[in-house]
Structure formats: C-alpha cells, structure tokens
Amino acid sequence: MTPNKVMLILKAHALEVGKTNGSNTLPKTAQQALDFRVDDWIVNAATVLAQDISKMDAGIKCALQCIDKNPQLAKEYLLEAIAHETKLEPVEVKRDSQGCWTHPDLPFLETLSFDEINGWLHHLNLKLAYQSMKKGTDDYNQFVVEQNRNISLWEPTCNVEGAFLILIDNSSDEPIAFFAVPLS
C-alpha cells in the first residue's frame, strides 16, 4: 500500500468521524476532506502498519493454500508470519489480582501447544523455559490451597542470562511461569 493510498484512507476516515463527531478539527464535507492535512508521522506510521499487515496476509494466504495437504507446514507459515510482525522483548510485568499475567506481544497462546509456542519463539531467536509450582510443595500449599489459588506473591525465576518472563498462569493443575530465553 502506497503512502498516497494511506493518505486517502486517513482523509476518508477523518471525514466519516468528522460527520459524526463534534470535533472542529476534522472535516465535515468532501471538499474539507480533500484539503485536510494529515500529519506526516501519521501517514508514515499507517504505511508501516499497512506493509506489516500485507506481509502477514501473505503468510496467511500461503498457510491457507497448503492447510489441507500439509497442516504442519500451514502452522509453520502462520508462526513465521506472526514472527515477522513481532519482536518479543522484556516489558514491565503488571499482574492481575490473582497474580496472573501474559506478555502483551504473545499471540493466541490458548490455542498453541508447548511445542508450538517454542517453535514460534524459535523464529524470534528465543526458546521457552518454564517453572511450575508442583502439587504438595510448600509454595503450592501456601499460594494455591491457603490463598484460594492466588499466586500474586509467587516470584518465579529463571536463572538463565537474558531470560525474561512471558506468562504467569494458575488456570492449569499447577501454576506455571513461562520465560523467553535467548538462543545462544
């Protein structure tokens, strides 16, 4: 998608919103929309976003073309398409009231197996490590049994240099923490 096409889309959207919104800064007529100045940084950001979506769309199309004949290859196309759009880096962990948290750049985690998540991370030059709270341990009894599955005080760790937390969850039998570990 060209920057000019992006500009036209942004102007059309500004007109649509301007007609329904009481804003004095947005166009309300077709002529005002043509004259509407969209800041260069917005056009540039939208163009980059459109290009990223286009790359991802190409990967999805490849996956759809081969899904019946080779489902595993289709999954690999999808994981690769998502990997091109994602750069997984450490972020501030803000856990919910029960102590759970998911990295905001993780895709559709619920539908992937451990091996598939590891495969996706591999495309990002990372691998998956995990720590679980085993049933019967003091930690398990303290957090899960005594605190009604609240794991907010549990501090899982990974002693590998460069590793960072990507998930803390207590919905399985045992609370688990996933870490992204850089490949050597």
Side-chain angles (χ1 to χ4, degrees):
M1 185 174 290
T2 67
N4 189 47
K5 178 71 173 168
V6 170
M7 177 75 76
L8 292 174
I9 292 169
L10 290 171
K11 285 184 177 195
H13 185 69
L15 175 60
E16 185 179 317
V17 173
K19 287 179 178 179
T20 59
N21 183 327
S23 171
N24 292 333
T25 59
L26 295 174
K28 300 203 182 326
T29 67
Q31 184 57 48
Q32 288 174 340
L34 288 174
D35 298 335
F36 183 66
R37 174 152 166 48
V38 180
D39 289 336
D40 289 341
W41 73 268
I42 295 172
V43 174
N44 291 338
T47 301
V48 169
L49 181 60
Q51 290 168 344
D52 286 349
I53 290 169
S54 178
K55 289 177 196 172
M56 192 174 199
D57 186 52
I60 292 168
K61 285 178 182 173
C62 288
L64 290 173
Q65 289 173 351
C66 72
I67 197 161
D68 290 333
K69 294 179 183 175
N70 192 337
Q72 186 57 41
L73 182 60
K75 273 188 177 180
E76 289 175 23
Y77 276 133
L78 290 174
L79 291 172
E80 188 174 330
I82 293 168
H84 284 297
E85 306 310 320
T86 304
K87 184 175 184 183
L88 198 61
E89 297 178 330
V91 296
E92 182 181 356
V93 175
K94 294 182 181 179
R95 295 163 74 168
D96 67 17
S97 63
Q98 291 298 304
C100 299
W101 176 79
T102 302
H103 193 290
D105 292 322
L106 286 181
F108 51 85
L109 202 61
E110 315 79 41
T111 61
L112 293 178
S113 70
F114 185 86
D115 289 338
E116 290 167 331
I117 296 168
N118 206 30
W120 176 74
L121 286 172
H122 185 76
H123 284 286
L124 301 174
N125 207 28
L126 299 165
K127 66 180 178 179
L128 190 61
Y130 70 95
Q131 178 184 6
S132 66
M133 210 186 283
K134 302 286 183 203
K135 285 184 178 179
T137 63
D138 289 341
D139 276 349
Y140 186 89
N141 290 333
Q142 179 184 359
F143 294 115
V144 179
V145 177
E146 293 173 20
Q147 294 189 36
N148 202 22
R149 297 197 62 81
N150 186 326
I151 59 171
S152 58
L153 297 177
W154 179 43
E155 293 295 335
T157 58
C158 182
N159 295 328
V160 178
E161 186 176 338
F164 57 94
L165 190 63
I166 59 174
L167 174 111
I168 302 174
D169 187 61
N170 68 0
S171 61
S172 63
D173 288 338
E174 300 171 340
I176 191 163
F178 286 175
F179 296 86
V181 179
L183 291 174
S184 305

